[in-house]
C-alpha cells in the first residue's frame, strides 16, 4: 500500500502544479475507483484527500461521494 499512497500523493502534486501554473484555467480530472474521494481509509489515502483544498474532482463512477 506504500507505493499506492505514494502514487496518489504524486498525482495530487501534479494536479496542484497544473492549477498553480494556470490558476484561471478550468481543470477537469477524470478518474475512477474512489481516487477522487476526499476521505482516507485505514491504509489508503486517495488522490482526492491530498487535493481536497483544490477544485472539485470528477470521477467516472456513477455514485458521487
Amino acid at each position: 500500500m506504500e507505493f499506492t499512497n505514494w502514487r496518489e500523493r504524486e498525482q495530487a502534486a501534479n494536479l496542484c502544479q497544473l492549477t498553480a501554473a494556470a490558476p484561471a484555467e478550468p481543470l477537469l480530472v477524470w478518474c475512477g475507483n474512489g481516487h477522487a474521494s476526499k476521505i482516507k481509509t485505514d491504509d489508503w489515502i486517495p488522490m482526492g484527500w491530498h487535493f481536497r483544498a483544490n477544485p472539485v474532482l470528477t470521477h467516472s463512477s456513477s455514485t458521487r461521494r
Side-chain angles (χ1 to χ4, degrees), residues 22-35:
E25 295 297 320
L27 177 66
L28 172 66
V29 178
W30 186 271
C31 59
N33 297 329
H35 294 280

Side-chain angles (χ1 to χ4, degrees), residues 1-12 32-35 41 43-48 50:
M1 192 56 67
E2 182 179 337
F3 174 78
T4 300
N5 286 331
W6 170 84
R7 185 186 68 212
E8 299 287 332
R9 189 172 50 252
E10 291 298 309
Q11 290 171 337
N33 297 329
H35 294 280
T41 62
D43 58 350
W44 181 46
I45 305 172
M47 176 184 62
H50 293 288

Side-chain angles (χ1 to χ4, degrees), residues 45-60:
I45 305 172
M47 176 184 62
W49 186 89
H50 293 288
F51 194 64
R52 67 193 177 282
N54 286 286
V56 177
L57 296 175
T58 303
H59 58 86
S60 62

